[in-house]
Amino acid sequence: MSQVYIRDAVINDVPLIYQFIKALAVYEREPDAVAATEHDIERTLFDEGATAHSIICFESDAPDAEAIGFAVYFYNYSTWLGRNGLYLEDLFVSEDKRGRGAGKALMKYLAQRAISKNCGRFEWVVLDWNKPAIDFYHSIGAEAQAQWQIYRLSGDKLLQFAEQ
């Protein structure tokens, strides 16, 4: 793939974003884990005050170009840096389009966005079994932060803790 075209997602992209989210869940071996609906995606990415954002990657800038990937990101904050960071929540490129530079183009686009917003970091997580993604991230110079472990409260455990 010699060149790809990336743009900010618009509300009409919600069905496409949802399709990519479901394809990512299949790839990550969690095909039934997507609880979000298209309405949830529309609300959280496009309603007034939305704090998450999405970009779409196309094979070219032709009006009928095929969408081949997407990313969802948001801004977090580092007290140690006193600056925002850009956090990549999801990145996905269609299986038959991988290995042609679309993933790197999406990452570079987000890195440039982080720089333009004066972010001190660009971070994400990767499943420990996802060797192709890990190899890709290493190839662009990213470093694993092995000393940090992610903890999560969700679902009933989150509700129970909040109500204690």
Side-chain angles (χ1 to χ4, degrees):
M1 187 170 300
S2 58
Q3 190 158 3
V4 297
Y5 172 71
I6 299 171
R7 65 163 171 76
D8 289 332
V10 295
I11 198 165
N12 290 343
D13 292 321
V14 167
L16 175 63
I17 294 167
Y18 192 67
Q19 176 186 2
F20 280 135
I21 290 168
K22 290 171 71 175
L24 175 60
V26 169
Y27 176 77
E28 291 186 349
R29 305 175 187 167
E30 295 276 353
D32 300 321
V34 178
T37 65
E38 284 188 25
H39 176 72
D40 294 326
I41 301 306
E42 180 177 324
R43 181 178 49 78
T44 56
L45 291 179
F46 299 104
D47 275 4
E48 186 176 331
T51 58
H53 313 279
S54 183
I55 57 175
I56 309 288
C57 181
F58 296 86
E59 284 188 305
S60 73
D61 63 355
D64 62 344
E66 178 184 3
I68 60 172
F70 90 121
V72 171
Y73 66 98
F74 58 89
Y75 296 98
N76 57 15
Y77 183 75
S78 167
T79 56
W80 289 12
L81 296 177
R83 294 164 65 184
N84 286 335
L86 190 148
Y87 186 85
L88 173 63
E89 177 63 22
D90 286 333
L91 179 129
F92 181 79
V93 174
S94 298
E95 189 172 354
D96 61 334
K97 304 298 182 185
R98 293 181 191 149
R100 303 181 193 179
K104 186 173 183 178
L106 284 162
M107 293 295 285
K108 188 171 187 175
Y109 187 95
L110 290 172
Q112 291 169 343
R113 177 142 303 165
I115 296 298
S116 75
K117 298 287 188 181
N118 197 31
C119 293
R121 296 179 176 155
F122 176 18
E123 298 176 306
W124 60 93
V125 297
V126 62
L127 291 165
D128 60 2
W129 58 260
N130 193 346
K131 184 164 173 28
I134 293 168
D135 290 346
F136 166 66
Y137 296 140
H138 285 160
S139 79
I140 64 170
E143 298 174 350
Q145 301 295 298
Q147 69 274 23
W148 295 92
Q149 291 186 6
I150 297 172
Y151 282 79
R152 176 180 295 160
L153 280 171
S154 61
D156 289 340
K157 290 181 180 179
L158 175 58
L159 288 171
Q160 290 168 4
F161 180 70
E163 293 173 356
Q164 289 179 350

